[in-house]
């Protein structure tokens, strides 16, 4: 880490994951509809990802929409899907400026053909870039693990190793997260990266996602570097 105000990371913090929670409460606090919170949340997401790239993080994963989030009111789900579609339209430009390599984690089969096409295109055109951004949509960790086991069963595997499972998950292309950050004050994983979080560090903050600042990221990084990761050893 640099010792001036700018935090820089090294290989110890290669992969950071965010549970971007608190958009709804951010809006409600301002007497605005929850959907407005998602718009601000989406803007902040772009800012935070760029900042992570700037300080040297190689991979960012964000939890954008869970398998359980379909249970929300239709207008809220529709707003999030529209934001996703609009976001996909900006990816080509963003990717060129910031060198982002996009990957979408989750079961994409539920999305409209238009959305799936956009997703496939964005992944394809950005595949040679270096800042990996995993966007988890219609993602649930249990569904991911079951999906992996079924893929291994179809291959006819009689005995499976930990590596087989890791390689069959949506995250096969990247290392496990070093740090998982959840905004919004709740202290739980809500079905996010249950397998991959084996030895992740956790950081929970009451800050609501749309309010998370780059200064908060600096604080989070400093806190991460103050920890001793023992991996069961002494
Ligand atoms: C997180 O914010 C975004 C999604 C789950 C899509 P929330 O919408 O869960 O915001 P709160 O937790 O209700 O404030
Ligand atoms: C987790 O937030 C999912 C995302 C941030 C996409 P939720 O708001 O859905 O989680 P719970 O319901 O509080 O556990
Ligand atoms: Mg929430």
């Amino acid at each position: 880490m640099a010792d001036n105000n700018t935090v820089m990371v090294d290989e110890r913090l290669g992969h950071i994951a965010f549970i971007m929670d608190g958009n709804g409460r951010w809006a409600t606090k301002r007497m605005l509809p929850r959907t407005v919170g998602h718009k601000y949340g989406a803007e902040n997401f772009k800012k935070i990802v760029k900042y992570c790239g700037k300080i040297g993080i190689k991979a960012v994963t964000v939890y954008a929409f869970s398998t359980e989030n379909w249970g929300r009111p239709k207008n809220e789900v529709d707003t999030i899907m529209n934001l996703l579609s609009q976001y996909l339209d900006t990816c080509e430009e963003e990717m060129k400026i910031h060198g982002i390599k996009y990957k979408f984690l989750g079961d994409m089969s539920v999305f409209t053909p238009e959305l799936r096409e956009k997703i496939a295109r964005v992944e394809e055109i950005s595949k040679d870039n270096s800042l990996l951004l995993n966007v988890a949509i219609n993602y649930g960790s249990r569904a991911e693990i079951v999906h992996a086991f079924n893929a291994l069963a179809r291959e006819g595997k009689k005995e499976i190793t930990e590596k087989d499972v890791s390689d069959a998950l949506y995250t096969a292309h990247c290392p496990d997260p070093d740090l998982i950050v959840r905004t919004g004050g709740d202290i739980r994983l809500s079905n996010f990266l249950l397998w991959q979080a084996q030895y992740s560090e956790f950081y929970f903050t009451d800050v609501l996602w749309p309010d998370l600042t780059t200064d908060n990221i600096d604080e989070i990084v400093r806190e991460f570097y103050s920890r001793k990761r023992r991996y069961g050893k002494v």
Side-chain angles (χ1 to χ4, degrees):
M1 266 198 297
D3 54 9
N4 58 21
N5 282 338
T6 314
V7 168
M8 286 299 290
V9 307
D10 56 19
E11 68 294 336
R12 285 173 292 171
L13 183 47
H15 183 184
I16 188 167
F18 293 98
I19 301 174
M20 307 188 289
D21 197 23
N23 292 347
R25 279 164 287 161
W26 183 92
T28 304
K29 247 175 62 178
R30 289 164 175 76
M31 320 255 250
L32 295 166
R34 290 176 54 85
T35 48
V36 176
H38 294 307
K39 292 196 182 87
Y40 279 84
E43 283 311 309
N44 205 38
F45 147 70
K46 292 195 228 166
K47 186 178 95 187
I48 296 294
V49 170
K50 282 168 213 159
Y51 189 69
C52 287
K54 187 173 153 205
I55 63 174
I57 290 170
K58 300 274 183 293
V60 180
T61 298
V62 293
Y63 201 7
F65 193 83
S66 75
T67 45
E68 288 73 32
N69 289 149
W70 294 107
R72 295 187 177 205
K74 186 176 181 302
N75 80 311
E76 183 168 342
V77 171
D78 288 350
T79 298
I80 296 170
M81 291 306 138
N82 284 334
L83 284 167
L84 174 63
S85 175
Q86 286 165 22
Y87 173 68
L88 286 162
D89 293 335
T90 67
C91 284
E92 186 160 0
E93 206 182 321
E94 294 266 308
M95 138 207 143
K96 286 188 195 132
I97 306 169
H98 304 286
I100 298 171
K101 169 182 173 149
Y102 298 92
K103 280 284 202 180
F104 291 82
L105 316 180
D107 176 7
M108 302 298 136
S109 69
V110 300
F111 296 115
T112 60
E114 292 77 23
L115 209 59
R116 277 157 58 186
E117 233 164 73
K118 281 191 192 185
I119 289 168
R121 179 178 140 76
V122 161
E123 286 188 339
E124 174 57 30
I125 60 176
S126 68
K127 67 178 191 303
D128 297 324
N129 286 338
S130 58
L131 169 57
L132 174 65
L133 173 57
N134 293 315
V135 183
I137 49 173
N138 189 31
Y139 174 89
S141 190
R142 284 201 173 187
E144 177 189 36
I145 292 167
V146 169
H147 174 264
F149 287 168
N150 279 322
L152 295 169
R154 276 194 303 275
E155 280 172 31
K157 287 240 188 235
K158 293 278 182 299
E159 289 258 330
I160 56 172
T161 64
E162 290 191 11
K163 187 173 182 303
D164 290 332
V165 176
S166 293
D167 289 348
L169 296 175
Y170 296 128
T171 49
H173 57 282
C174 67
D176 289 339
D178 296 297
L179 174 63
I180 298 178
V181 176
R182 181 174 186 142
T183 59
D186 287 308
I187 302 180
R188 55 175 170 260
L189 281 175
S190 303
N191 204 9
F192 188 51
L193 304 181
L194 304 180
W195 175 275
Q196 299 87 336
Q198 179 200 29
Y199 267 107
S200 303
E201 294 295 320
F202 291 93
Y203 187 101
F204 296 96
T205 172
D206 289 338
V207 175
L208 302 173
W209 176 261
D211 286 331
L212 193 79
T213 64
T214 56
D215 283 349
N216 292 143
I217 299 293
D218 290 353
E219 263 165 56
I220 293 167
V221 168
R222 287 198 189 92
E223 159 71 23
F224 173 84
Y225 277 100
S226 75
R227 299 201 190 162
K228 174 106 183 77
R229 300 177 79 184
R230 284 183 290 278
Y231 299 97
K233 303 183 182 108
V234 289

